[in-house]
Amino acid sequence: MDIAQDIAGDWALDPLLWKHQVPRDSTVRQVVDLYLIYTIGGAIMYLLTAVADFYLLFDRKWMKDKQWIPGQVGLELKLALSSIPQMSVLMTIVSIWELKGYSRLYDNVSDYGLPYFFLSIFMFFMFTDCLVYWFHRWLHLPFFYKHVHKPHHKWKVASPFASHAFHPLDGFIQGFPYHIALCLP
């Protein structure tokens, strides 16, 4: 995340927001930077990929399905774009720990060697995929389903715009394994 913060800082945040007056290692600045990166960057990535998928890959015949909700794309967009800023708050809190050195992230492959590097990629995907699966199963328990996960299942026939159309806590819970993995050896 420090690389994303550096790039965003060089291109936009330093000249537009901070006017080169607040050091990049300031916790307040890091919180604001990360929140803006997650919120604006997340919304841009969501919109670019969903629009491209909708126009290039999505078979719009599904929009004629009897389970398609009238105005569904707009509803998916509204839920996603209102959830992204809220998910960003939670992800910012976790990411600050990583920026402050409480993770096992490293910049140089030579720190651990190539075998560890390749093994860690494999283990990262195995660990996170397993946890996302179990966290998702946990979200199907009656209490969590009713209060957190149900909006995700509103779309019986989903469009590409449903990719982020869920409760903010749902998004955080399913994204949290990636942050847990960064703290493991």
Side-chain angles (χ1 to χ4, degrees):
M1 187 48 71
D2 54 337
I3 295 170
Q5 186 189 21
D6 286 342
I7 293 169
D10 291 342
W11 285 80
L13 299 174
D14 271 345
L16 299 174
L17 182 62
W18 301 112
K19 309 284 189 223
H20 305 285
Q21 296 177 4
V22 180
R24 286 191 183 177
D25 61 353
S26 159
T27 301
V28 171
R29 177 177 172 160
Q30 289 175 335
V31 167
V32 172
D33 285 359
L34 287 172
Y35 178 76
L36 292 173
I37 290 167
Y38 278 135
T39 302
I40 297 168
I44 289 170
M45 287 188 345
Y46 160 70
L47 289 170
L48 287 175
T49 55
V51 167
D53 189 352
F54 185 79
Y55 287 106
L56 299 174
L57 302 172
F58 180 66
D59 188 349
R60 285 188 277 297
K61 76 175 181 187
W62 289 108
M63 295 171 72
K64 295 180 177 130
D65 188 280
K66 65 181 179 175
Q67 291 187 319
W68 183 264
I69 301 168
Q72 180 173 317
V73 169
L75 294 170
E76 291 168 337
L77 274 162
K78 181 179 177 184
L79 181 56
L81 292 174
S82 66
S83 293
I84 289 171
Q86 295 172 66
M87 287 185 283
S88 297
V89 169
L90 299 169
M91 289 302 182
T92 296
I93 294 166
V94 174
S95 296
I96 284 297
W97 291 342
E98 294 160 10
L99 275 179
K100 296 297 182 184
Y102 296 106
S103 74
R104 306 285 284 193
L105 290 172
Y106 58 95
D107 293 328
N108 301 311
V109 174
S110 61
D111 289 351
Y112 294 94
L114 277 175
Y116 178 83
F117 174 72
F118 289 114
L119 180 63
S120 68
I121 293 171
F122 173 75
M123 294 306 295
F124 175 82
F125 284 114
M126 294 297 293
F127 177 82
T128 56
D129 206 39
C130 181
L131 244 56
V132 168
Y133 170 80
W134 284 108
F135 282 9
H136 187 221
R137 291 283 303 205
W138 175 65
L139 287 166
H140 280 261
L141 294 173
F143 175 82
F144 296 107
Y145 184 84
K146 179 181 178 183
H147 297 288
V148 177
H149 195 57
K150 193 172 183 176
H152 167 71
H153 287 282
K154 179 179 182 177
W155 328 112
K156 302 297 183 202
V157 179
S159 83
F161 295 100
S163 66
H164 286 66
F166 39 70
H167 189 284
L169 190 56
D170 189 341
F172 174 74
I173 290 169
Q174 293 196 58
F176 193 59
Y178 301 98
H179 294 278
I180 294 171
L182 300 179
C183 295
L184 299 176

